Amino acid sequence: MFRLKVADAKLLRDMASAISILIDEATFQITPEGLKLRAMDPSRVAMVDFEWPKTVFEEFVCTEPTKMCINISELLKLLKRAGKDEIIELALDEKTGRLQVKITGKYARTFTMPTLEASEEEVPTPKITFNVRAKATTDGLRQAIEDAELVSDHVRIEADNEKLVFQATGDLMGATIELKKGSDALLDLEAKEPSKATFSLSYLTEIIKAASATSDIATLEFSTDMPIKLDFQQAREGKLVFYLAPRIETA
Amino acid sequence: MLYSEIADVYEKIEATTKRLEMTDLLVGLLKKTPKEIIDKVVYLTQGRIYPEFVKLEIGVAERLAIKALAHASGRRESEIEEDMKKTGDVGETAQNFIARKRQITFFQKPLTVQRVYETFDKMARASGPGAIDTKVALLAGLLADASPKEAKYIMRTVTGNLRLGIADMTVLDALSIAYGGGKETRELVERAYNISSDLGKVAKVLAEEGLEGIKKFKVVVGNPIRPMLAERLSSPEEILEKLGGKCIAEYKYDGERIQAHKKGDEITLFSRRLEDISDQYPDAIELLRKHVLAKEAIVEAECVAIDPDTGEMRPFQELMHRRRKYGIEKAMEEYPVSLFMFDALYVDGKDLTLEPYPVRRKTLESIIQEGERVKLAKSITTDNIKDLENFFLEAIENGCEGLMCKSTAPDSIYQAGARGWLWIKYKRDYKSEMTDTVDLVVVGAFHGRGKRAGTYGALLLAAYNPENDTFETVTKCGTGFTDEDLAKLPEIMKKHVIPHKHPRVNSLIEADVWFEPKTVIEVLGAEITLSPIHTCAMNAIRQGNGLAIRFPRFTGNYRLDKAAEDATTTGEIVEMYQRQLKKIVES
């Protein structure tokens, strides 16, 4: 049994929205410590690692570890009904196996929605040695990605100790976006060695756009031709991390 | 079991043209397959995930499959489409692109048969507004983990292009060898298939329970029985001889053969090819609900389009208006159907498939309550060539294709899924199509019913025979009259009504109303046929038969300029018949 109360309806909604970028059916783990989800998109190109310790919640009751799978876009529809300062309470009705979504504020309403068969798949976190670590504003990243998107459907991210460069090459046009270390957008940059890797913009754009709603600062980590880790810093103790597998660009 | 094992066998099957080799490959695959998923493997080899009669299909359009491939390979859809132009095969293109993937994925896992099947199943069941996205995502997920070869067969399967050319019979052979103990057990296995139409179920029962399980196979309401088929002959002598001198001859209606499964109020209709066509015929279902008196039954009928005004049968083509997804309500009104019942295969717990035909027909008669639109197929039992021939001509003239002549012998069982000599089609070799209109004399009429109550339902029309100065009947026409025509007809004809047949009219048919032969109307028919009942040109073509016009339609022209003696002559009709007589080429 569990009952979770969230005071910040907007944050919960934005979080659900960020997760829904990659997956439809989301299997959450609820333990006495908090709420967790780690999942891959069906094509196994991207991964999301989300965690909200119980301290994030206004109220957190969980008697025993539970797995719950729900259709995240359906949940999102309900969450969108909540106003900014309203309180959302999630609870599992053990008799019916349905999730109760209670929104209270101006008035009270309770929705119920079905839970699905939980995925048994344990998704491990990728073990990668990253050579580059960059801390940037999510706004700066967004701008860079939107620039790149104008000319291509993928982008090469390169870094040395001076700058972080986004290089996009389309059939006709090209774009180079440079973020200098210490600039407004790029707060910090460390590179053990110059590195570069290419990523699909369709994933990258959606991830960055959705996650920026929850966070102002992101840490990027990558190595040459390896997956990239995007850690979106959360105001409270929560965690929202994405991994994205690279593309191989043959000459 | 890994999907790659199946893909390897597919590849070998594709490379062979020899059926025996194909069978051997299948035997190998079936033996290797764990018993609990053998049904799934059998469906997959057929490019399906369920038996044919289950309506669900994976149903992914090529465009969407390309989208999923673009996703999984990290390539642009335009690049893939370009390659498709070269290969012409979505499978081969998938193989190329998965082999040269741009997008790396996390934790690639080998595909199991279970996962592939379950994903296909999820794709088939996806519905609602997000269904397309769900299908694409699921397919992309499979492709992400697929080897190039696996990708080829996955793509072909989801787009309905697997086409390995493995016939049902080859699967039955392979099953008998792999699990039945040898090819000689094939007959038993085949019977199980013929009464269930479900290769997967047969495979599973055979693999898990052996031949004993197969022997226990029963007809089940809801599982279509593979239809019994007929041989064909074109002379009544040969037919009677083949059937032991006696047969039950039935009208062979020009409609769609349906197998109706009734379980209480729930009725499912299957086509001859075992597709569920219930949605096309809600009216037929309603009729069966009322007129089949058994609680549970499997019966066969011919579903025929009828003229909503006259109740006359219309040609088969008219039923095509019912092959639609939308607007079936309207089509039902414009193209109503009648049902002509001809067999009962199962009634209230009793499997009749091994009973002789006369017993089945009798059982059918006992559970069908006939009505305006549900009738037993018109039949005679005969041992006489002439009677058979006349019944045949009558059938043709009434809009049927010919006759179905059925054995009455003790061994005249329902041979599910087989074409045999227990049933023989008697169809025409020749037909004479009509290209010109004719002007015919109105000599009689029949009272209308239903919508046409109070006016005439059809007119009896005759051609003029100048030698004898008589009018010889050639057709009964109720089609082509507007509501206005119908309203006016009794008024127009009133002055010509006489209490009995006119002495100059030669008719074997009793009309409800007789007229003086005065009025001439223009008619167009589909063809001219030999007739046992019309007197036009009697004995001219064949002794004992006249000529008749099939599917006549009033063109709307009253030939007021013509006297009855100016009508088309019987001689002209004979000439038309002979000029247009052509051998029928079966398509």
Side-chain angles (χ1 to χ4, degrees), chain B residues 197-213:
Chain B
S197 308
D198 188 342
L199 271 181
K201 187 169 155 193
V202 170
K204 195 157 189 196
V205 170
L206 182 60
E208 287 182 342
E209 299 167 40
L211 283 178
E212 284 315 302

PDB file of all heavy atoms in Angstrom, chain B residues 197-213:
ATOM      1  N   SER B 197     -10.162 -25.569 -38.820  1.00  0.00           N
ATOM      2  CA  SER B 197      -9.530 -24.485 -39.601  1.00  0.00           C
ATOM      3  C   SER B 197      -8.436 -23.785 -38.819  1.00  0.00           C
ATOM      4  O   SER B 197      -8.141 -22.630 -39.055  1.00  0.00           O
ATOM      5  CB  SER B 197     -10.558 -23.446 -40.046  1.00  0.00           C
ATOM      6  OG  SER B 197     -11.624 -24.058 -40.679  1.00  0.00           O
ATOM      7  N   ASP B 198      -7.861 -24.478 -37.849  1.00  0.00           N
ATOM      8  CA  ASP B 198      -6.870 -23.834 -36.991  1.00  0.00           C
ATOM      9  C   ASP B 198      -5.602 -24.695 -36.930  1.00  0.00           C
ATOM     10  O   ASP B 198      -5.478 -25.609 -36.118  1.00  0.00           O
ATOM     11  CB  ASP B 198      -7.484 -23.656 -35.594  1.00  0.00           C
ATOM     12  CG  ASP B 198      -6.604 -22.829 -34.679  1.00  0.00           C
ATOM     13  OD1 ASP B 198      -5.401 -22.678 -34.971  1.00  0.00           O
ATOM     14  OD2 ASP B 198      -7.125 -22.345 -33.657  1.00  0.00           O
ATOM     15  N   LEU B 199      -4.649 -24.376 -37.803  1.00  0.00           N
ATOM     16  CA  LEU B 199      -3.414 -25.150 -37.888  1.00  0.00           C
ATOM     17  C   LEU B 199      -2.630 -25.115 -36.579  1.00  0.00           C
ATOM     18  O   LEU B 199      -2.024 -26.098 -36.176  1.00  0.00           O
ATOM     19  CB  LEU B 199      -2.513 -24.588 -38.999  1.00  0.00           C
ATOM     20  CG  LEU B 199      -2.677 -25.112 -40.409  1.00  0.00           C
ATOM     21  CD1 LEU B 199      -1.667 -24.430 -41.322  1.00  0.00           C
ATOM     22  CD2 LEU B 199      -2.494 -26.619 -40.467  1.00  0.00           C
ATOM     23  N   GLY B 200      -2.643 -23.969 -35.919  1.00  0.00           N
ATOM     24  CA  GLY B 200      -1.888 -23.826 -34.680  1.00  0.00           C
ATOM     25  C   GLY B 200      -2.429 -24.741 -33.600  1.00  0.00           C
ATOM     26  O   GLY B 200      -1.675 -25.411 -32.890  1.00  0.00           O
ATOM     27  N   LYS B 201      -3.751 -24.777 -33.507  1.00  0.00           N
ATOM     28  CA  LYS B 201      -4.385 -25.617 -32.485  1.00  0.00           C
ATOM     29  C   LYS B 201      -4.103 -27.097 -32.779  1.00  0.00           C
ATOM     30  O   LYS B 201      -3.796 -27.869 -31.871  1.00  0.00           O
ATOM     31  CB  LYS B 201      -5.893 -25.342 -32.494  1.00  0.00           C
ATOM     32  CG  LYS B 201      -6.661 -26.009 -31.403  1.00  0.00           C
ATOM     33  CD  LYS B 201      -8.081 -25.422 -31.387  1.00  0.00           C
ATOM     34  CE  LYS B 201      -9.073 -26.400 -30.782  1.00  0.00           C
ATOM     35  NZ  LYS B 201     -10.458 -25.973 -31.045  1.00  0.00           N
ATOM     36  N   VAL B 202      -4.204 -27.466 -34.055  1.00  0.00           N
ATOM     37  CA  VAL B 202      -3.916 -28.849 -34.444  1.00  0.00           C
ATOM     38  C   VAL B 202      -2.477 -29.189 -34.057  1.00  0.00           C
ATOM     39  O   VAL B 202      -2.206 -30.245 -33.474  1.00  0.00           O
ATOM     40  CB  VAL B 202      -4.124 -29.046 -35.966  1.00  0.00           C
ATOM     41  CG1 VAL B 202      -3.608 -30.399 -36.416  1.00  0.00           C
ATOM     42  CG2 VAL B 202      -5.593 -28.888 -36.324  1.00  0.00           C
ATOM     43  N   ALA B 203      -1.554 -28.287 -34.350  1.00  0.00           N
ATOM     44  CA  ALA B 203      -0.142 -28.521 -34.050  1.00  0.00           C
ATOM     45  C   ALA B 203       0.053 -28.723 -32.556  1.00  0.00           C
ATOM     46  O   ALA B 203       0.754 -29.647 -32.122  1.00  0.00           O
ATOM     47  CB  ALA B 203       0.695 -27.346 -34.542  1.00  0.00           C
ATOM     48  N   LYS B 204      -0.571 -27.878 -31.777  1.00  0.00           N
ATOM     49  CA  LYS B 204      -0.357 -27.939 -30.332  1.00  0.00           C
ATOM     50  C   LYS B 204      -0.925 -29.230 -29.737  1.00  0.00           C
ATOM     51  O   LYS B 204      -0.261 -29.898 -28.949  1.00  0.00           O
ATOM     52  CB  LYS B 204      -0.991 -26.721 -29.653  1.00  0.00           C
ATOM     53  CG  LYS B 204      -0.495 -26.552 -28.252  1.00  0.00           C
ATOM     54  CD  LYS B 204      -0.641 -25.131 -27.787  1.00  0.00           C
ATOM     55  CE  LYS B 204       0.093 -24.999 -26.451  1.00  0.00           C
ATOM     56  NZ  LYS B 204      -0.277 -23.824 -25.732  1.00  0.00           N
ATOM     57  N   VAL B 205      -2.145 -29.565 -30.147  1.00  0.00           N
ATOM     58  CA  VAL B 205      -2.760 -30.795 -29.621  1.00  0.00           C
ATOM     59  C   VAL B 205      -1.938 -32.006 -30.050  1.00  0.00           C
ATOM     60  O   VAL B 205      -1.659 -32.905 -29.254  1.00  0.00           O
ATOM     61  CB  VAL B 205      -4.225 -30.914 -30.100  1.00  0.00           C
ATOM     62  CG1 VAL B 205      -4.788 -32.292 -29.771  1.00  0.00           C
ATOM     63  CG2 VAL B 205      -5.079 -29.826 -29.464  1.00  0.00           C
ATOM     64  N   LEU B 206      -1.506 -32.011 -31.299  1.00  0.00           N
ATOM     65  CA  LEU B 206      -0.727 -33.151 -31.789  1.00  0.00           C
ATOM     66  C   LEU B 206       0.600 -33.252 -31.045  1.00  0.00           C
ATOM     67  O   LEU B 206       1.020 -34.334 -30.644  1.00  0.00           O
ATOM     68  CB  LEU B 206      -0.486 -33.007 -33.301  1.00  0.00           C
ATOM     69  CG  LEU B 206       0.280 -34.146 -33.974  1.00  0.00           C
ATOM     70  CD1 LEU B 206      -0.466 -35.466 -33.821  1.00  0.00           C
ATOM     71  CD2 LEU B 206       0.499 -33.852 -35.463  1.00  0.00           C
ATOM     72  N   ALA B 207       1.257 -32.145 -30.828  1.00  0.00           N
ATOM     73  CA  ALA B 207       2.555 -32.163 -30.166  1.00  0.00           C
ATOM     74  C   ALA B 207       2.408 -32.551 -28.695  1.00  0.00           C
ATOM     75  O   ALA B 207       3.229 -33.288 -28.160  1.00  0.00           O
ATOM     76  CB  ALA B 207       3.230 -30.800 -30.285  1.00  0.00           C
ATOM     77  N   GLU B 208       1.357 -32.070 -28.075  1.00  0.00           N
ATOM     78  CA  GLU B 208       1.230 -32.315 -26.635  1.00  0.00           C
ATOM     79  C   GLU B 208       0.511 -33.621 -26.294  1.00  0.00           C
ATOM     80  O   GLU B 208       0.846 -34.277 -25.320  1.00  0.00           O
ATOM     81  CB  GLU B 208       0.503 -31.127 -25.966  1.00  0.00           C
ATOM     82  CG  GLU B 208       1.399 -29.909 -25.874  1.00  0.00           C
ATOM     83  CD  GLU B 208       0.741 -28.723 -25.187  1.00  0.00           C
ATOM     84  OE1 GLU B 208      -0.504 -28.713 -25.089  1.00  0.00           O
ATOM     85  OE2 GLU B 208       1.482 -27.815 -24.761  1.00  0.00           O
ATOM     86  N   GLU B 209      -0.490 -33.978 -27.107  1.00  0.00           N
ATOM     87  CA  GLU B 209      -1.280 -35.159 -26.746  1.00  0.00           C
ATOM     88  C   GLU B 209      -1.164 -36.282 -27.757  1.00  0.00           C
ATOM     89  O   GLU B 209      -1.727 -37.358 -27.557  1.00  0.00           O
ATOM     90  CB  GLU B 209      -2.761 -34.774 -26.607  1.00  0.00           C
ATOM     91  CG  GLU B 209      -3.034 -33.741 -25.539  1.00  0.00           C
ATOM     92  CD  GLU B 209      -4.442 -33.170 -25.673  1.00  0.00           C
ATOM     93  OE1 GLU B 209      -5.375 -33.950 -25.959  1.00  0.00           O
ATOM     94  OE2 GLU B 209      -4.597 -31.943 -25.507  1.00  0.00           O
ATOM     95  N   GLY B 210      -0.477 -36.039 -28.849  1.00  0.00           N
ATOM     96  CA  GLY B 210      -0.303 -37.070 -29.857  1.00  0.00           C
ATOM     97  C   GLY B 210      -1.582 -37.346 -30.628  1.00  0.00           C
ATOM     98  O   GLY B 210      -2.548 -36.593 -30.551  1.00  0.00           O
ATOM     99  N   LEU B 211      -1.582 -38.459 -31.359  1.00  0.00           N
ATOM    100  CA  LEU B 211      -2.725 -38.789 -32.215  1.00  0.00           C
ATOM    101  C   LEU B 211      -4.008 -38.975 -31.420  1.00  0.00           C
ATOM    102  O   LEU B 211      -5.101 -38.710 -31.926  1.00  0.00           O
ATOM    103  CB  LEU B 211      -2.436 -40.056 -33.019  1.00  0.00           C
ATOM    104  CG  LEU B 211      -1.513 -39.878 -34.224  1.00  0.00           C
ATOM    105  CD1 LEU B 211      -1.275 -41.217 -34.895  1.00  0.00           C
ATOM    106  CD2 LEU B 211      -2.110 -38.894 -35.231  1.00  0.00           C
ATOM    107  N   GLU B 212      -3.876 -39.416 -30.166  1.00  0.00           N
ATOM    108  CA  GLU B 212      -5.074 -39.596 -29.353  1.00  0.00           C
ATOM    109  C   GLU B 212      -5.833 -38.275 -29.214  1.00  0.00           C
ATOM    110  O   GLU B 212      -7.049 -38.229 -29.309  1.00  0.00           O
ATOM    111  CB  GLU B 212      -4.706 -40.137 -27.961  1.00  0.00           C
ATOM    112  CG  GLU B 212      -4.363 -41.628 -27.959  1.00  0.00           C
ATOM    113  CD  GLU B 212      -5.353 -42.462 -28.777  1.00  0.00           C
ATOM    114  OE1 GLU B 212      -6.558 -42.420 -28.453  1.00  0.00           O
ATOM    115  OE2 GLU B 212      -4.914 -43.127 -29.753  1.00  0.00           O
ATOM    116  N   GLY B 213      -5.089 -37.235 -28.985  1.00  0.00           N
ATOM    117  CA  GLY B 213      -5.686 -35.900 -28.871  1.00  0.00           C
ATOM    118  C   GLY B 213      -6.348 -35.491 -30.166  1.00  0.00           C
ATOM    119  O   GLY B 213      -7.432 -34.915 -30.185  1.00  0.00           O
TER     120      GLY B 213
END
